[in-house]
Amino acid sequence: MDVEVKDNPARHRYEATVEGKTAFIEYKLLPCVMKVLHTEVPKELEGRGLARTMTQFALKHIEEHNLQLVPLCPYMRSFLKKNPEYQRLVKQS
């Protein structure tokens, strides 16, 4: 699926709109840290890889801005387990 993901800092989330429906990843930005809180994909858009596309965008954005990631979202934690190459972005306790 070719979809455009955008950062919407005013709403503290990454967004992708497909067929008039918006999927998003909510985050909280702190100094040098981004907490990823929640991923939501409308039922009508499930199964199309949208959460994965948005997650990859978010991780690229985190890396480009030299942020550390705190993955509170279950989807993000699951993605990181399956894609260990992104573990370097996770903030160490």
Side-chain angles (χ1 to χ4, degrees):
M1 172 186 286
D2 191 28
V3 62
E4 183 179 8
V5 180
K6 296 181 181 180
D7 183 18
N8 183 342
R11 297 189 73 182
H12 309 285
R13 65 190 205 174
Y14 300 105
E15 301 174 335
T17 301
V18 176
E19 298 171 5
K21 307 280 186 195
T22 302
F24 59 88
I25 296 176
E26 290 181 323
Y27 63 79
K28 182 174 185 177
L29 187 59
L30 304 169
C32 302
V33 174
M34 179 175 286
K35 292 183 178 182
V36 174
L37 308 174
H38 177 69
T39 300
E40 188 166 316
V41 176
K43 201 161 211 48
E44 300 87 351
L45 301 177
E46 288 178 357
R48 300 186 191 185
L50 197 50
R52 179 180 182 79
T53 298
M54 291 190 308
T55 298
Q56 290 171 322
F57 179 91
L59 292 168
K60 183 178 178 186
H61 185 261
I62 289 165
E63 185 172 39
E64 288 173 351
H65 289 87
N66 297 312
L67 299 171
Q68 291 185 304
L69 169 64
V70 177
L72 301 177
C73 167
Y75 181 85
M76 178 66 80
R77 286 196 305 265
S78 173
F79 183 90
L80 291 168
K81 283 181 185 174
K82 295 174 189 170
N83 298 274
E85 65 272 21
Y86 292 107
Q87 285 294 327
R88 70 191 186 297
L89 301 175
V90 177
K91 183 178 185 331
Q92 301 304 309
S93 304

